[in-house]
C-alpha cells in the first residue's frame, strides 16, 4: 500500500515542478492558440488550465474544512500515512498517462467560452499557493484519520490521499495541454511558430 513519508517536502517539490511546466506551457502562445482546440471534441490548452482552476476552487475549500475539523477534534499524528485503498486508486487513476477516459463532471468542466485566457496562468499560480498553504496547515495532523469530501462521493478519501491525487490530476491535464501545444505549434505556419 502506498504511503506518504514527509508530506510537505514531496508535495512542495511537485508544486514547483507544476509551476514550471505551466509557465512553459503558455510561453510564446497567443490567446488564439491558447483557446484553439486540436479537434472539435478535444479541450484547448485554456480549457485544460480552466478545468484545473475550477477543480481546485471546488476541492480546496473541502480540504480546508477537513484540516479545520482535524485541528478542532485534535486528530494529531505523524506520518507516514497510509493512503487507503480508495486513495491509492484515485491517485493511480489520475496519474498520467490516462488509463481510463473519464468525462469531467459538469461542476468542474471548463466554461463554454474563455473570455480572457491570459488570466488563467495567474489564477493557476494562486491555486498552487493555496495548495502549499493547505499542505503546510495539515502538517502535524493524522491525515489518515481525516476524511474529506461528501459522504457518498466517489472522490471521498483520506486527507493524506487528497494532496497526491490533486498533484496527479494536475500532471494529467498539463500533459494533455502539452500534447495540444505540440499539435498546434507543428501545424502553425513557420513564420508564426513559437519557441
Amino acid at each position: 500500500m502506498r504511503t506518504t513519508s514527509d508530506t510537505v517536502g514531496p508535495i512542495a517539490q511537485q508544486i514547483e515542478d507544476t509551476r514550471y511546466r505551466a509557465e512553459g506551457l503558455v510561453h510564446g502562445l497567443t490567446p488564439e492558440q491558447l483557446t484553439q482546440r486540436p479537434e472539435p471534441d478535444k479541450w484547448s490548452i485554456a480549457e485544460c488550465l480552466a478545468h484545473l482552476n475550477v477543480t481546485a476552487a471546488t476541492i480546496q475549500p473541502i480540504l480546508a474544512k477537513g484540516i479545520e475539523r482535524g485541528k478542532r477534534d485534535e486528530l494529531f499524528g505523524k506520518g507516514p500515512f497510509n493512503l487507503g485503498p480508495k486513495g491509492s486508486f484515485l491517485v493511480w487513476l489520475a496519474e498520467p498517462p490516462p488509463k481510463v477516459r473519464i468525462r469531467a463532471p459538469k461542476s468542474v468542466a471548463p466554461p463554454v467560452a474563455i473570455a480572457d485566457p491570459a488570466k488563467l496562468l495567474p489564477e493557476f499560480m494562486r491555486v498552487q499557493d493555496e495548495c502549499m498553504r493547505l499542505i503546510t496547515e495539515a502538517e502535524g495532523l493524522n491525515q489518515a484519520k481525516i476524511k474529506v469530501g461528501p459522504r457518498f462521493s466517489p472522490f471521498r478519501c483520506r486527507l493524506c490521499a487528497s494532496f497526491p491525487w490533486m498533484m496527479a490530476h494536475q500532471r494529467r491535464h498539463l500533459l494533455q495541454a502539452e500534447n495540444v501545444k505540440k499539435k498546434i505549434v507543428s501545424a502553425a505556419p513557420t513564420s508564426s511558430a513559437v519557441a
Side-chain angles (χ1 to χ4, degrees):
M1 192 65 63
R2 289 185 58 171
T3 59
T4 56
S5 50
D6 171 18
T7 309
V8 175
I11 296 296
Q13 184 58 57
Q14 290 176 56
I15 289 172
E16 284 309 303
D17 293 345
T18 295
R19 289 181 193 275
Y20 179 79
R21 285 180 71 179
E23 287 174 341
L25 176 64
V26 303
H27 178 73
L29 295 182
T30 65
E32 292 74 22
Q33 288 173 315
L34 287 171
T35 55
Q36 180 182 338
R37 285 184 163 190
E39 297 173 31
D41 62 339
K42 302 292 185 185
W43 284 354
S44 65
I45 293 168
E47 286 173 302
C48 290
L49 288 175
H51 168 64
L52 291 176
N53 291 345
V54 172
T55 301
T58 302
I59 299 294
Q60 289 179 340
I62 293 172
L63 302 188
K65 286 180 183 176
I67 292 167
E68 184 181 314
R69 189 175 65 252
K71 289 182 176 181
R72 184 191 66 226
D73 296 345
E74 299 184 351
L75 298 175
F76 303 123
K78 187 175 180 181
F81 301 115
N82 189 308
L83 303 187
K86 185 187 262 187
S88 296
F89 174 74
L90 289 173
V91 173
W92 172 85
L93 189 64
E95 196 69 62
K99 293 89 174 167
V100 180
R101 301 282 179 183
I102 303 171
R103 185 178 293 277
K106 288 184 179 179
S107 59
V108 294
V112 175
I114 297 173
D116 190 356
K119 291 182 177 178
L120 292 170
L121 182 62
E123 177 59 27
F124 185 78
M125 294 304 180
R126 284 191 290 273
V127 163
Q128 307 315 305
D129 291 342
E130 178 62 4
C131 191
M132 191 66 228
R133 187 191 73 78
L134 288 169
I135 194 69
T136 303
E137 280 286 311
E139 187 73 357
L141 292 174
N142 188 330
Q143 297 180 36
K145 286 191 174 180
I146 302 168
K147 294 287 184 71
V148 291
R151 186 170 298 277
F152 299 108
S153 168
F155 297 103
R156 180 175 171 85
C157 64
R158 299 173 184 181
L159 180 62
C160 59
S162 62
F163 295 110
W165 173 80
M166 287 179 64
M167 294 295 102
H169 182 248
Q170 290 191 144
R171 286 191 292 273
R172 180 188 185 110
H173 290 290
L174 285 174
L175 177 62
Q176 179 184 1
E178 287 163 350
N179 288 335
V180 172
K181 182 176 182 177
K182 287 176 188 174
K183 287 183 181 179
I184 290 171
V185 171
S186 66
T190 307
S191 60
S192 63
V194 294

